[in-house]
Amino acid sequence: MRFTIKRDEFLKGLNIASRAVQNKTPVPVLTNLKLDLNEEGLFITGSNYDLTIKTLIPHNVENNEIIRNYKEGSTLLNSRIFCEIIRKMESEEVTVEVIDSTLVTISDANSDYKLNCVRPEEYPDLDLDPEEISLTMTTAEFGLMVDQTAFAASTKEQRPYLTAINLEAGEGILTATATDSARMAKKNMSIPEGINFNVNIPARMMSEIAHLVEGTSSLEISVSNKKALFTFGKTIIATRLIAGDYPNTRNIAPRIVNHTLEVNAQSLIKAIDRANILSIDRENVVDLIMSEEGIEISAKSSQVGSAVERIDNYRYEGNPLTVSFNSEFVVAAVKALGSEDVLFSFVGEMKPFVIKNPSDESIIQVVTPVRTY
Amino acid sequence: MRFTIKRDEFLKGLNIASRAVQNKTPVPVLTNLKLDLNEEGLFITGSNYDLTIKTLIPHNVENNEIIRNYKEGSTLLNSRIFCEIIRKMESEEVTVEVIDSTLVTISDANSDYKLNCVRPEEYPDLDLDPEEISLTMTTAEFGLMVDQTAFAASTKEQRPYLTAINLEAGEGILTATATDSARMAKKNMSIPEGINFNVNIPARMMSEIAHLVEGTSSLEISVSNKKALFTFGKTIIATRLIAGDYPNTRNIAPRIVNHTLEVNAQSLIKAIDRANILSIDRENVVDLIMSEEGIEISAKSSQVGSAVERIDNYRYEGNPLTVSFNSEFVVAAVKALGSEDVLFSFVGEMKPFVIKNPSDESIIQVVTPVRTY
């Protein structure tokens, strides 16, 4: 294998594929990137088994020659070191050449690097074949779906399926759900009829993919009972699924509502953020004290002191009610709604409550209160 | 004590004084800021004993009323929590009032905070009286002096005086020296005749002070055998000194020079930075290979590979020479010189070498080579 390549295009491809590579892995060969050069162009593959990313740099892009003076072939190169060299080089083009099965040279006008490499046969076979059930959406829709839900997934591995976003397709609707059991985010999207699946995809990977698809216009999702594939531009990403039935979350949002509060999202976030300075004894727990006469956020520490924040411009309906909650959960939920005003619906002080964008029925956030003593 | 104060001016003062406060301290009262309001204005003091900062917010600045509706008095308030509250409040003015010796209220239109406070008598007496020997310089001169030397001080506490910048004044010259024994930076400045002192000030504090004086035009330094005082604008900073005789560094820079190299600073830094990717076996050690035919930076790892960087546009005089050095030391020294080109002077492969700005005799950097095997 040998090629001379435009460095900026090369770096874009390396930056995509290397995001799947972990420096510490029980499978040392996966610290490498796989480079395959053939008549289509240069394929770069990175993987940690759970996540595999394969991207193509074509020989020519819009009549610009990206790769020239090449000879087909494959090799495996340490991802971290190889990417760092290419990133720090300064010339417009770099030349990569496999000298023998154990040595690769990387060079430009002023730099000569020799890197030990690994034979391509040692790389595992990774399943990147497309699946039958597939779905196309814009990357904007996908990004919003992930942003509005992923934060609510658990970061603890005790119940692995809670670290996932559950994607359920059926009856023309795709529902993304994430919950760590103390809060839940659920987003609905219209999709074509006849697409049916129910899979759990690690929330971390969904966020990673949302980041990687930024800048492209649409992506295709295809799923089986083993893996999910995300295809966009010249890149294909495969993620493992998390086994196990996802909990039934259909009935978590209460049907009866006894108290509703509509407030400006920014005023609420800032008031919570300030009052939270005094949430020391019960970490991050603040009280929302509601009546038709006024809305307050309060927090108290016996050692340090107390905070009371009054919120102007609210609309409250119902008897007076005080609810204590984890301020981080409520702030994250309110931010995820992305709306100017937010609407809270309460059943009672210890029942899960709903936070919505008053003008967008596709997304709901549910938070369970914290017991106060 | 009671006052209503413009929040942005208050915050500026708090941000200055709180930089001396450490959250973890063997003296719990020093986690507080001291507020003293009298006819001059509001004094805010923060200290960790090693460093004390006292700043004044006057009642009026350029005919703008900063403090109004006030009653004189003093109190001690937890620095971290109090500063966070004032920073996160949103109104133009805030009101602070000592209710009794244990409780302070902080309020604006929407927020009411109550903080437990400590009686001012519990704060230690801190010596901030000016000393006789004093010196005025511009903050630009002071900042440059610190930037060009502080990085070369040791960060290890085994030999405390090596963590200091040594400031020696005499014969119309102020010399700042920092060394960790493997490298040295030395800066000279002209000062008035008749000022004589020799003190060791912790380099970390010199950097902190250089940061704090940014934005003012000049500062006054006054020293005794116990402390150094830095006065600028409405702020006074006291630092402890480090006891012990500073090593004699007058003869470290070699007098005989057998090899000289002049190169572009940026080309050199970038070449070292790239080659350093392969400095794995001997961490951060690269070789500088010099002859009249060419200049190369090289690094090698038996496991990973090797790097060779050629540097264009050099001027070398002397027999061929190879010197191995800690790349971080050389890059830091070259950056500190702040010049387009840098001039290296070598005696031999294992002798300390000098790096200079060819057009500025006031600063020299010395680095000791690393032994190669």
Side-chain angles (χ1 to χ4, degrees):
Chain A
M1 186 177 70
R2 188 208 176 284
F3 57 92
T4 296
I5 189 167
K6 292 272 191 298
R7 198 179 60 91
D8 55 352
E9 293 293 326
F10 193 23
L11 200 52
K12 276 186 213 163
L14 291 171
N15 285 343
I16 292 171
S18 65
R19 289 190 75 100
V21 179
Q22 289 168 349
N23 285 328
K24 288 184 180 172
T25 159
V27 190
V29 74
L30 291 182
T31 58
N32 293 296
L33 285 173
K34 185 160 190 256
L35 270 54
D36 298 292
L37 184 63
N38 63 26
E39 72 284 354
E40 281 187 74
L42 177 67
F43 288 93
I44 309 173
T45 307
S47 179
N48 60 40
Y49 273 129
D50 288 346
L51 182 73
T52 298
I53 304 177
K54 183 176 188 174
T55 191
L56 169 66
I57 303 172
H59 291 291
N60 297 287
V61 173
E62 292 166 1
N63 289 326
N64 288 321
E65 192 179 45
I66 306 297
I67 300 171
R68 66 182 176 84
N69 196 5
Y70 70 91
K71 214 177 88 186
E72 296 184 6
S74 298
T75 191
L76 303 181
L77 283 166
N78 181 286
S79 175
R80 188 180 60 77
I81 289 173
F82 185 63
C83 292
E84 198 177 347
I85 292 170
I86 302 298
R87 187 172 65 246
K88 288 188 170 172
M89 288 174 99
E90 292 170 89
S91 50
E92 204 188 327
E93 284 189 328
V94 298
T95 297
V96 176
E97 185 165 7
V98 179
I99 300 301
D100 59 39
S101 60
T102 61
L103 195 69
V104 165
T105 62
I106 307 145
S107 55
D108 67 7
N110 285 314
S111 305
D112 279 312
Y113 287 78
K114 293 191 175 75
L115 282 194
N116 299 335
C117 60
V118 179
R119 287 184 309 157
E121 303 83 65
E122 301 197 14
Y123 206 69
D125 255 335
L126 300 166
D127 173 15
L128 292 169
D129 300 331
E131 301 292 339
E132 275 188 13
I133 308 170
S134 88
L135 179 64
T136 300
M137 65 174 84
T138 67
T139 54
E141 286 174 315
F142 180 76
L144 186 63
M145 183 180 81
V146 174
D147 281 353
Q148 292 192 318
T149 56
F151 69 91
S154 176
T155 53
K156 302 196 179 84
E157 296 288 337
Q158 284 98 321
R159 286 188 282 173
Y161 53 86
L162 292 188
T163 64
I165 294 180
N166 174 254
L167 287 183
E168 186 178 0
E171 297 173 7
I173 293 174
L174 174 68
T175 304
T177 309
T179 177
D180 61 6
S181 80
R183 57 172 161 177
M184 181 188 76
K186 193 187 275 286
K187 170 82 172 177
N188 290 321
M189 279 174 56
S190 293
I191 56 169
E193 294 274 351
I195 299 176
N196 295 289
F197 59 79
N198 189 333
V199 293
N200 303 324
I201 302 176
R204 260 188 324 111
M205 289 182 198
M206 292 288 275
S207 296
E208 183 72 32
I209 294 162
H211 179 78
L212 284 164
V213 299
E214 277 172 18
T216 56
S217 59
S218 69
L219 84 163
E220 191 183 73
I221 305 176
S222 82
V223 296
S224 69
N225 56 2
K226 281 187 192 156
K227 69 176 193 291
L229 285 183
F230 300 81
T231 313
F232 56 97
K234 302 283 181 193
T235 303
I236 186 162
I237 302 180
T239 77
R240 73 177 169 100
L241 303 178
I242 297 179
D245 287 336
Y246 201 74
N248 179 1
T249 58
R250 281 178 202 282
N251 301 317
I252 285 182
R255 280 155 208 275
I256 313 153
V257 172
N258 297 321
H259 317 260
T260 60
L261 170 67
E262 191 168 342
V263 284
N264 175 271
Q266 281 308 310
S267 304
L268 180 71
I269 288 171
K270 286 182 176 171
I272 292 177
D273 186 40
R274 274 195 295 273
N276 199 40
I277 301 169
L278 275 296
S279 304
I280 297 167
D281 302 357
R282 297 181 300 158
E283 208 179 344
N284 289 327
V285 175
V286 301
D287 298 332
L288 173 59
I289 303 163
M290 296 168 281
S291 75
E292 288 178 10
E293 280 70 51
I295 303 296
E296 288 179 356
I297 301 283
S298 81
K300 200 175 207 167
S301 155
S302 55
Q303 292 276 313
V304 180
S306 63
V308 174
E309 292 282 342
R310 287 173 296 279
I311 295 177
D312 297 334
N313 301 323
Y314 62 91
R315 198 171 54 75
Y316 180 71
E317 282 171 25
N319 295 326
L321 178 71
T322 295
V323 175
S324 304
F325 51 73
N326 181 319
S327 60
E328 280 183 9
F329 286 8
V330 168
V331 167
V334 169
K335 283 184 178 167
L337 293 172
S339 55
E340 199 175 326
D341 293 326
V342 289
L343 180 65
F344 285 75
S345 306
F346 300 93
V347 181
E349 61 171 342
M350 279 314 299
K351 298 284 184 204
F353 57 91
V354 171
I355 318 174
K356 280 187 182 178
N357 174 347
S359 55
D360 180 2
E361 282 295 313
S362 76
I363 169 80
I364 71 164
Q365 303 284 345
V366 180
V367 175
T368 304
V370 173
R371 188 170 294 278
T372 52
Y373 302 94
Chain B
M1 185 177 69
R2 189 206 175 283
F3 56 93
T4 295
I5 189 167
K6 292 272 191 297
R7 198 178 60 89
D8 55 352
E9 292 294 328
F10 194 22
L11 200 52
K12 275 186 216 163
L14 291 171
N15 285 343
I16 292 171
S18 65
R19 290 190 75 101
V21 179
Q22 289 169 348
N23 285 327
K24 288 182 181 174
T25 155
V27 190
V29 75
L30 291 183
T31 59
N32 294 294
L33 285 173
K34 185 160 190 255
L35 271 54
D36 297 293
L37 184 62
N38 62 25
E39 72 283 355
E40 281 187 74
L42 177 66
F43 287 93
I44 310 173
T45 308
S47 179
N48 59 38
Y49 273 130
D50 288 347
L51 183 72
T52 298
I53 304 177
K54 183 175 189 174
T55 190
L56 168 66
I57 303 172
H59 291 290
N60 297 286
V61 174
E62 292 167 1
N63 289 326
N64 289 318
E65 192 180 45
I66 305 297
I67 300 172
R68 64 181 178 85
N69 196 7
Y70 69 92
K71 213 177 90 186
E72 296 183 7
S74 299
T75 191
L76 304 181
L77 283 165
N78 181 284
S79 175
R80 188 178 60 79
I81 290 176
F82 185 65
C83 292
E84 198 177 348
I85 292 170
I86 302 299
R87 189 172 64 247
K88 288 189 171 173
M89 288 174 99
E90 292 169 89
S91 51
E92 205 189 325
E93 285 189 326
V94 298
T95 297
V96 176
E97 185 165 6
V98 179
I99 300 299
D100 59 39
S101 61
T102 61
L103 195 69
V104 165
T105 62
I106 307 145
S107 54
D108 66 7
N110 285 312
S111 306
D112 278 313
Y113 287 78
K114 293 191 175 75
L115 282 193
N116 300 335
C117 61
V118 178
R119 288 185 309 159
E121 304 83 65
E122 301 197 15
Y123 206 70
D125 255 334
L126 301 164
D127 172 16
L128 293 168
D129 300 330
E131 301 292 340
E132 273 188 15
I133 308 170
S134 89
L135 180 63
T136 300
M137 65 174 84
T138 69
T139 55
E141 285 174 317
F142 181 75
L144 185 64
M145 181 180 81
V146 174
D147 282 353
Q148 291 191 319
T149 55
F151 69 92
S154 176
T155 53
K156 301 194 181 84
E157 295 289 337
Q158 283 99 321
R159 283 189 284 173
Y161 54 86
L162 292 188
T163 65
I165 294 179
N166 173 255
L167 287 183
E168 186 179 0
E171 296 172 10
I173 293 173
L174 175 69
T175 304
T177 309
T179 177
D180 61 6
S181 79
R183 57 172 161 178
M184 183 190 75
K186 193 187 274 287
K187 170 82 172 178
N188 290 321
M189 279 174 58
S190 293
I191 56 169
E193 295 274 350
I195 299 176
N196 295 289
F197 60 80
N198 189 334
V199 292
N200 303 324
I201 302 175
R204 260 187 325 110
M205 289 183 196
M206 291 289 275
S207 297
E208 183 71 33
I209 294 163
H211 179 79
L212 284 165
V213 299
E214 277 172 18
T216 56
S217 59
S218 69
L219 84 164
E220 191 182 75
I221 305 176
S222 81
V223 295
S224 69
N225 55 2
K226 281 186 191 158
K227 66 177 195 287
L229 285 183
F230 300 81
T231 312
F232 56 97
K234 301 282 181 192
T235 303
I236 185 161
I237 302 180
T239 78
R240 72 176 168 102
L241 303 179
I242 297 179
D245 285 337
Y246 201 75
N248 179 2
T249 57
R250 282 179 201 281
N251 301 317
I252 285 182
R255 280 157 207 273
I256 313 151
V257 171
N258 298 320
H259 317 260
T260 60
L261 170 67
E262 190 167 342
V263 284
N264 176 270
Q266 282 308 310
S267 304
L268 179 73
I269 289 171
K270 286 181 176 173
I272 291 177
D273 186 40
R274 273 195 296 274
N276 199 40
I277 302 169
L278 275 295
S279 305
I280 298 169
D281 302 357
R282 296 182 300 159
E283 206 178 347
N284 289 327
V285 175
V286 301
D287 296 332
L288 172 59
I289 303 162
M290 295 167 281
S291 75
E292 287 177 12
E293 281 70 50
I295 303 297
E296 287 179 356
I297 301 283
S298 81
K300 200 177 209 166
S301 155
S302 55
Q303 291 276 314
V304 180
S306 63
V308 175
E309 292 282 342
R310 286 174 296 280
I311 295 176
D312 297 335
N313 301 322
Y314 61 92
R315 198 171 54 74
Y316 180 71
E317 282 170 25
N319 294 328
L321 178 71
T322 296
V323 175
S324 304
F325 52 72
N326 180 319
S327 60
E328 281 182 9
F329 286 8
V330 169
V331 167
V334 168
K335 283 183 177 167
L337 293 172
S339 55
E340 198 175 327
D341 294 324
V342 288
L343 178 65
F344 286 75
S345 307
F346 300 93
V347 181
E349 60 172 341
M350 280 314 299
K351 298 284 184 204
F353 56 91
V354 171
I355 319 174
K356 279 187 183 180
N357 173 348
S359 55
D360 180 2
E361 283 293 315
S362 76
I363 170 80
I364 71 162
Q365 303 285 347
V366 179
V367 176
T368 305
V370 172
R371 187 169 295 279
T372 51
Y373 302 94

